[in-house]
Amino acid sequence: MRLQGKRILISAAAQGMGRASALACAAEGASVVAVDIDEDGLATLAGEGNGIEVHRLDVRDRAAIDALAARTGGLDGLFNCAGFVHHGTVLDVSEEDWAFSVDLNVTSMYRMTQAFLPAMLERAGETGGAAILNMASMASSIKGFVNRAVYGTTKAAVIGLTKSIAADFVTRGLRCNALCPGTVDTPSLRGRIASAADPVQAEKDFIARQPMGRLATVDDITPLVVYLLSDESRFMTGQAVLVDGGVTI
Ligand code: NAD
């Protein structure tokens, strides 16, 4: 049990990588708090009998975050997973869409960290360590992709935020890393494929991005989530960790 005794909160946990991470962390012995705005998705997660505690939480709502942090107390792990993929070049993004992506993909992580970090630091002082994991992407400061103007901008900012948190709290037992996946087969990716003008071609194009010749599954990603939230990665902080099927070779 690699996460035995650890209390870990995961956002965007109703589907996709967040949900798979909640299940993987619970399977490794963690006490998992799963949050999302999708209450039906959370209900099916809680209904699986895995002991996962679920709460509706909009990571754009500071008051709700602060209230949950006050109730939850100290965490050993925080996985900020929520994010949204906007499709378009810089010429296509409205101010409203730009502001939405910045708020959901980056500002939410600032809010969550401000709310949960003080008690995490206290707990780290007692246990010897705590970890924050922020969901970035290979589409970020790592690599440019077509039609990912605001998305790539926000995920680059996530890496910057991650490094600043790592630098500020490295001496207090708090580690912070960013996860940078390639193209992962999740409900939102299926939505992006379905909404393309030619969905069959869109799926082929997404697959062709990976030299390994396939999409990642959520199970290709969760071992890294468990590792980065566990004590096995105790000498690692401030890193943007790629798991991309060879895209950036
Ligand atoms: P997804 O996009 O299918 O699901 C996202 C979840 O986030 C949903 O359950 C949704 O209800 C929840 N959510 C949306 N707004 C929220 C809010 N305001 N508060 C709380 N929850 C909210 O899942 P995914 O594709 O695994 O993506 C998860 C993260 O991984 C995102 O940050 C995404 O940018 C990133 N990412 C995805 C891919 C990919 O190819 N799928 C690749 C790299 C990075």
Side-chain angles (χ1 to χ4, degrees), residues 12 14-17 36-38 57-60 81-83 104 135-137 151 155 181-184 186-188 192:
Q15 67 179 38
M17 286 181 271
D36 200 293
I37 48 173
D38 174 5
L57 181 72
D58 182 346
V59 294
R60 303 183 65 205
C81 183
L104 177 54
M135 180 60 94
S137 172
Y151 183 72
K155 294 301 189 182
T183 317
V184 189
T186 65
S188 71
R192 290 190 283 286

